[in-house]
Amino acid sequence: MSITWSAYKRARRRSRQAWAVLALAAAAIVAGLSWFFTTGQFEAGQPAQSGTSEAPVYNPQWMKPVRGAAPVAAEKATEALERLQVKGRAAKTDYDRAAFGQAWADADRNGCDTRNDILRRDLSDIEFTDGSTCKVASGTLNEPYTGRQIAFTRGQDTSSAVQIDHVVALADAWQKGAQQLTIQQRQTLANDPLNLIAADGPANVKKGAGDAATWLPANKNFRCHYVARQISVKTAYRLWVTQAEKDAMKGVLSSCPEQQTIYNAR
């Protein structure tokens, strides 16, 4: 069977158009997969949230500064991120919480333990237990991870509703450089207000020891501050990031390129 020259040209043109469409589709698939495996999985898996965009670090009225292993400069978080080392995780088999010293030690030596310092810092409408100026009995948390308000009441069955989260989880820190810190530096890291946020108990449990590549707050307004705070903690204690973690952090910061490091009271 023979075809005319014009029919042949039309067929060639359709073929080129078809290949162009396939190429664009392939590029879109690759871009979509890249987005999904950085921050997109969180966008797709969680409902839109609203809430606070930052959390406090330091209240000079009753807190004292805590020094990390290194200073945190006032700069764009993206610039600080570029200076963090990128390496794989070290083994977790020898991780022990005791390597970070006493839990909720009075790191700033203001006379109150760290857990109550953070509750007092992050909650409003604070009431203390009878006869104490440290132990928080109740308050209201404008919770940053979920964007909800939580009424906190101290008690065996109620205290867990508000937990104190390590922004950089201690197990994650152990696998990314904390093994090389002194015991005193590790205890400071575990009790440093820069690395601590009062958070919704179930959200904190869900986060576990995850880094930015595996967990981000449902409250999208808070993600820029959260990632900048992780970068600041890792800067302060000379910890590194994995490539997947760095990619996820860059993905979050792409929506807030002017986001600053969290450096006050360092």
Side-chain angles (χ1 to χ4, degrees):
M1 178 175 123
S2 62
I3 61 173
T4 66
W5 175 247
S6 59
Y8 172 75
K9 288 196 295 183
R10 283 196 299 272
R12 285 287 303 273
R13 187 164 54 251
R14 291 195 200 98
S15 177
R16 287 195 298 269
Q17 290 171 343
W19 279 111
V21 169
L22 287 173
L24 287 172
I29 291 170
V30 170
L33 288 172
S34 175
W35 169 80
F36 180 82
F37 285 108
T38 53
T39 58
Q41 57 183 309
F42 308 111
E43 305 288 342
Q46 298 173 346
Q49 299 286 339
S50 62
T52 185
S53 60
E54 59 183 19
V57 177
Y58 177 65
N59 188 323
Q61 294 182 359
W62 45 270
M63 298 174 77
K64 297 180 180 178
V66 172
R67 304 297 179 190
V72 179
E75 61 180 336
K76 292 181 181 179
T78 51
E79 295 173 356
L81 176 59
E82 289 304 318
R83 285 199 299 277
L84 294 179
Q85 282 188 295
V86 178
K87 298 169 64 175
R89 288 178 177 271
K92 188 182 176 182
T93 51
D94 58 347
Y95 167 70
D96 187 341
R97 173 62 180 81
F100 289 85
Q102 178 187 346
W104 310 135
D106 182 9
D108 69 348
R109 299 181 183 178
N110 70 345
C112 298
D113 68 85
T114 301
R115 174 176 167 77
N116 281 293
D117 271 348
I118 301 306
L119 288 173
R120 182 179 179 184
R121 183 198 68 184
D122 291 3
L123 273 60
S124 60
D125 303 320
I126 291 291
E127 291 189 8
F128 296 103
T129 59
D130 290 343
S132 174
T133 57
C134 284
K135 190 176 290 186
V136 176
S138 64
T140 301
L141 175 64
N142 189 14
E143 205 283 325
Y145 290 171
T146 65
R148 299 187 299 112
Q149 276 202 342
I150 300 176
F152 169 77
T153 302
R154 180 180 293 273
Q156 181 176 349
D157 299 324
T158 57
S159 288
S160 62
V162 173
Q163 300 178 11
I164 308 303
D165 178 45
H166 287 96
V167 178
V168 174
L170 299 186
D172 180 68
W174 181 257
Q175 293 181 276
K176 297 173 183 174
Q179 298 181 41
Q180 300 163 16
L181 299 174
T182 67
I183 180 63
Q184 182 58 55
Q185 288 171 334
R186 287 197 293 268
Q187 180 165 298
T188 303
L189 167 61
N191 291 277
D192 189 338
L194 177 67
N195 194 33
L196 297 171
I197 291 178
D200 173 73
N204 187 37
V205 170
K206 186 175 181 180
K207 171 188 172 179
D211 60 21
T214 59
W215 188 89
L216 287 171
N219 173 18
K220 297 174 185 177
N221 290 342
F222 191 68
R223 289 180 181 179
C224 289
H225 176 94
Y226 177 78
V227 165
R229 199 148 169 166
Q230 286 191 324
I231 292 168
S232 300
V233 170
K234 295 204 167 190
T235 297
Y237 292 92
R238 303 191 183 102
L239 307 178
W240 66 74
V241 292
T242 63
Q243 186 61 58
E245 181 182 7
K246 181 176 181 178
D247 290 344
M249 287 175 161
K250 289 176 70 174
V252 169
L253 294 174
S254 66
S255 67
C256 48
E258 300 302 315
Q259 172 68 51
Q260 297 290 295
T261 51
I262 314 301
Y263 58 88
N264 52 329
R266 305 309 305 153

